[in-house]
Amino acid sequence: RGGTGNASLSNILAELKKICNHPAVFHNAALLHDPQQPVDVEALCRQSSKMAVLDALLGRLIAGGHRVLVFSQSVRMLDLLGRYVEARGWPHQRIDGSVPGDERRRAIDQFNA
């Protein structure tokens, strides 16, 4: 079979990572694609322990005036996090591979200011 088993295992692991982050990422939920889809923050947090912990941490840090940097390897998780922070009314910057260099530099400078 060659590498077929390893490729299949890699795909399974990738899908498991999605589930661990949030079920909406795994199910490719409309929330990620439709900006008109309302965001129920409490439901997002109930559906994922990671989101519940993140919500508690971010709430405290932002209330304390801290800046926070969140990393994710998943573009879909970044989409979900973007919808989440918008629903919370928190300002945010998104920097990923699709952001042009000059815009990226401005976002980094704004974060550091």
Side-chain angles (χ1 to χ4, degrees):
R1 288 190 181 199
T4 305
N6 287 339
S8 178
L9 182 58
S10 293
N11 290 340
I12 291 169
L13 289 175
E15 296 302 306
L16 288 173
K17 284 181 185 179
K18 290 177 189 176
I19 292 171
C20 288
N21 283 326
H22 196 281
V25 176
F26 177 72
H27 293 295
N28 206 10
L31 174 66
L32 300 178
H33 305 289
D34 182 3
Q36 302 305 315
Q37 178 81 19
V39 177
D40 180 348
V41 173
E42 282 69 32
L44 278 178
C45 293
R46 275 194 313 273
Q47 295 166 352
S48 167
S49 295
K50 281 187 175 187
M51 284 297 295
V53 170
L54 183 67
D55 186 56
L57 288 172
L58 287 179
R60 282 190 222 135
L61 291 169
I62 291 171
H66 295 276
R67 293 175 292 165
V68 180
L69 189 59
V70 178
F71 290 92
S72 177
Q73 291 179 309
S74 165
V75 171
R76 282 196 267 179
M77 191 62 192
L78 289 174
D79 294 340
L80 182 69
L81 290 170
R83 296 297 312 276
Y84 159 77
V85 295
E86 287 169 3
R88 282 286 188 217
W90 296 330
H92 69 283
Q93 295 282 342
R94 177 174 173 159
I95 301 173
D96 63 20
S98 68
V99 177
D102 58 334
E103 192 175 322
R104 181 181 308 207
R105 172 55 39 204
R106 279 195 300 275
I108 291 168
D109 290 344
Q110 184 177 2
F111 178 81
N112 289 325

